[in-house]
Amino acid sequence: MAIIKKFRIRSFKKLDTVIEFENVSLSFGNRLILDNLSFRVNKGAIHGMLGPNGAGKSTIFNLITGLLKPDSGKIRIFGEDVTQYPVYIRTKKFSTSYCPQYGGFFNDLTLLDNLKAISEIVIENKNYRTEKINYLISKFEFDNIKDIKARFLSGGQKKRLIIAMALLSDPKVLLLDEVYAALDVLTIKMMQEIIVNLQQEYGITTCICDHQARDLLATCDLAMILSDGKIIAEDTPSNLVKNINAKNAYFGDNFKFN
């Protein structure tokens, strides 16, 4: 497998925490989803989340955005307790953008009109709206498909559109849910390069959850394994795949990375 990420942030001279979970628990009925979960995502890092279905990965994203509230514990963004903040405050005040696994765009609007619709919400200056849209169309190579309705785009084109829409607000934090799901090999490589480029060019702090373990690990600085609502291992990709707890709960003995 080609190495997508040529460098990894292994340590930080000054640890600036962007997202912090402190003893967060959440249940749906009698089912415990997250069990006293604590972790940090550092500024400028690409942080990966892996785990079997039902481990709580998407739930963590919903807690970060404010779509869900924990039963107990605290969630901090840039050091501020946001546990009781609604979605719109977290989005605007802390510059967070969320790219869901499914949807996230208007099916009956063209690619260009999707970008225009969101830009009218997040960008006040009309001239800057046009400038930003044109920049994203060029960056994501949308010129030939900008007038196609979103429902007719390929899976990879839809994923790129969702990320472009998220970037309209110049986010500091980007949440990517199952970004590699149902994509072919070449499209996955393109998505990986886009994500790493966003870190290098803009310093965006990115959280990714996915079932495509090799593809996720190829882009991350740090990754963690979730199982039964707990973090059982967290480390750099090369160390994580050697971790005995990670092997037992997720990777198995035959998993190879690189």
Side-chain angles (χ1 to χ4, degrees):
M1 185 189 82
I3 302 292
I4 298 296
K5 192 164 178 54
K6 297 180 180 179
F7 74 94
R8 299 187 192 278
I9 302 175
R10 298 179 184 276
S11 62
F12 296 77
K13 293 180 180 179
K14 181 180 179 182
L15 285 175
D16 290 329
T17 301
V18 173
I19 297 170
E20 180 180 5
F21 274 45
E22 180 183 341
N23 306 123
V24 172
S25 294
L26 178 69
S27 297
F28 294 151
N30 295 324
R31 184 185 174 198
L32 182 63
I33 305 299
L34 299 179
D35 184 8
N36 203 37
L37 200 71
S38 295
F39 70 92
R40 294 182 178 186
V41 177
N42 291 313
K43 183 178 180 181
I46 299 177
H47 191 101
M49 302 179 193
L50 291 166
N53 286 327
K57 303 184 297 297
S58 294
T59 299
I60 288 174
F61 279 7
N62 289 334
L63 286 165
I64 293 171
T65 60
L67 291 171
L68 291 174
K69 289 185 179 181
D71 297 329
S72 60
K74 292 182 179 180
I75 299 168
R76 297 185 181 91
I77 301 178
F78 293 106
E80 187 169 341
D81 186 355
V82 301
T83 312
Q84 302 302 319
Y85 287 4
V87 174
Y88 72 93
I89 290 182
R90 298 192 198 195
T91 300
K92 191 165 185 178
K93 183 174 181 179
F94 301 101
S95 299
T96 62
S97 285
Y98 173 47
C99 298
Q101 179 181 0
Y102 303 109
F105 51 81
F106 301 102
N107 273 302
D108 289 324
L109 293 183
T110 65
L111 184 151
L112 177 59
D113 285 340
N114 267 279
L115 292 172
K116 286 181 177 179
I118 300 304
S119 71
E120 289 176 4
I121 298 171
V122 300
I123 302 175
E124 294 183 5
N125 186 293
K126 291 183 179 181
N127 292 330
Y128 183 59
R129 281 182 209 162
T130 302
E131 179 183 331
K132 186 73 174 182
I133 289 171
N134 289 337
Y135 168 76
L136 290 170
I137 287 174
S138 175
K139 183 176 182 63
F140 286 86
E141 301 179 357
F142 287 150
D143 293 272
N144 294 331
I145 59 174
K146 65 182 180 181
D147 296 320
I148 297 176
K149 286 189 176 181
R151 67 166 66 248
F152 299 120
L153 298 174
S154 69
Q157 289 167 345
K158 289 175 180 177
K159 291 287 179 70
R160 285 157 52 205
L161 171 59
I162 294 168
I163 293 177
M165 292 167 69
L167 293 177
L168 283 166
S169 60
D170 295 322
K172 296 178 181 177
V173 180
L174 186 62
L175 309 175
L176 303 175
D177 193 357
E178 301 284 353
V179 69
Y180 303 128
L183 299 180
D184 61 78
V185 174
L186 289 177
T187 305
I188 286 174
K189 183 178 179 181
M190 181 187 299
M191 294 300 299
Q192 291 172 321
E193 291 172 346
I194 287 171
I195 292 165
V196 172
N197 177 259
L198 291 176
Q199 180 192 40
Q200 295 174 345
E201 191 172 345
Y202 304 105
I204 295 176
T205 303
T206 304
C207 295
I208 311 174
C209 76
D210 210 286
H211 287 296
Q212 307 293 334
R214 289 182 181 84
D215 299 322
L216 181 144
L217 293 174
T219 59
C220 289
D221 298 299
L222 292 170
M224 62 189 191
I225 305 292
L226 290 153
S227 182
D228 295 325
K230 293 180 178 291
I231 297 170
I232 60 169
E234 183 176 19
D235 212 323
T236 61
S238 57
N239 289 337
L240 190 66
V241 297
K242 302 172 187 175
N243 184 287
I244 188 64
N245 293 327
K247 284 186 176 182
N248 291 337
Y250 190 70
F251 293 122
D253 292 327
N254 298 321
F255 181 86
K256 302 294 183 182
F257 176 60
N258 293 343

